[in-house]
Amino acid sequence: MDFDKDGNLLVITNTFGDGFEMDNVTGTDCIQKINPDTGKMLWSDTFPYQKAGINAVSSQIICRYYEDEAGVVHDEILASVDNKAYSWQNKTGQRIAEVTVDGGIMNFMAAAKASYGYLAQNNGRLEIVSMEDGSKYEASTVETGKQLTKAEIRNYSMVVSAYGSPDLSVFKYPDYSDAEVVETLENTISDMEISPNETYYAVRVYDYD
């Protein structure tokens, strides 16, 4: 869930049929925009659940508002569910674009003042897409060689953690030829955050004791 610039709530829900099985799931996803003061639903949109089997991951929502170089204001809602990403006009709920990728989307990042979306997938691939028309910038696709669980892009660098690994790796962006492991911890990394000036990396690890 997320809140837009006006304080309205955006949520995604999933409805599955009987007999839920991870490798054989059919259902419906629904995104809703709700006024939290009145509980009134302002708009909604439904779309088929994107089955990703054991690679299924949770939904993510981004509320983005910016003015581009041509002076056009973009007030948009972006979301990813498993292996698909969508964008909508915030005011009307009209769907703008959708894009499908091969892996489960572990982290969905968006450019602050451009149409780009960055889809970090659990198959190790980072794809850059347009959330205005759903096209992929295939020449910019990056293969990290890691089964990603978390990725963050900040000022020409990408920090990633991988499934079952205690390593925290930093890549130059967009040149990923010189990946550097900056820290190795005793336990597997479950989550991470980066300080605004990119000086510190805070990580949460699994405690197996």
Side-chain angles (χ1 to χ4, degrees):
M1 69 179 66
D2 199 2
F3 291 91
D4 69 6
K5 63 180 179 58
D6 298 317
N8 295 305
L9 177 65
L10 280 300
V11 296
I12 289 180
T13 56
N14 311 97
T15 303
F16 302 109
D18 295 333
F20 176 84
E21 295 179 8
M22 188 61 75
D23 289 323
N24 186 27
V25 173
T26 58
T28 302
D29 291 326
C30 179
I31 183 169
Q32 297 173 302
K33 178 180 177 180
I34 300 170
N35 183 319
D37 295 323
T38 65
K40 179 181 178 181
M41 185 174 67
L42 303 177
W43 57 258
S44 67
D45 189 24
T46 58
F47 42 96
Y49 172 74
Q50 300 300 313
K51 183 183 70 174
I54 62 173
N55 294 325
V57 295
S58 61
S59 57
Q60 302 169 77
I61 300 178
I62 301 172
C63 297
R64 179 169 66 176
Y65 182 90
Y66 70 95
E67 182 176 335
D68 64 22
E69 294 180 352
V72 178
V73 173
H74 298 261
D75 187 6
E76 302 167 346
I77 306 301
L78 313 179
S80 67
V81 181
D82 291 321
N83 64 340
K84 199 154 188 171
Y86 302 85
S87 59
W88 294 267
Q89 292 182 359
N90 186 19
K91 184 177 180 179
T92 65
Q94 179 179 347
R95 194 182 304 180
I96 301 171
E98 58 186 77
V99 59
T100 304
V101 294
D102 292 332
I105 301 170
M106 302 302 298
N107 208 33
F108 182 20
M109 299 158 283
K113 296 185 178 181
S115 66
Y116 308 125
Y118 304 87
L119 308 179
Q121 304 159 50
N122 56 5
N123 59 9
R125 183 175 299 149
L126 173 72
E127 293 193 61
I128 303 175
V129 301
S130 169
M131 298 310 298
E132 295 298 323
D133 59 19
S135 60
K136 298 180 181 180
Y137 298 94
E138 295 185 356
S140 299
T141 297
V142 175
E143 299 286 354
T144 67
K146 298 176 179 290
Q147 189 175 359
L148 301 182
T149 58
K150 184 75 172 179
E152 293 283 351
I153 292 179
R154 302 285 182 86
N155 296 336
Y156 306 106
S157 65
M158 184 171 80
V159 184
V160 303
S161 60
Y163 178 77
S165 171
D167 292 343
L168 192 65
S169 302
V170 179
F171 299 79
K172 283 185 178 179
Y173 175 77
D175 177 12
Y176 294 87
S177 60
D178 60 346
E180 175 187 1
V181 177
V182 295
E183 187 69 38
T184 297
L185 307 175
E186 292 183 2
N187 292 335
T188 300
I189 296 171
S190 64
D191 201 2
M192 68 179 179
E193 295 293 339
I194 307 172
S195 66
N197 61 5
E198 301 182 41
T199 302
Y200 300 101
Y201 304 99
V203 298
R204 180 185 296 116
V205 298
Y206 290 107
D207 186 356
Y208 299 110
D209 295 335

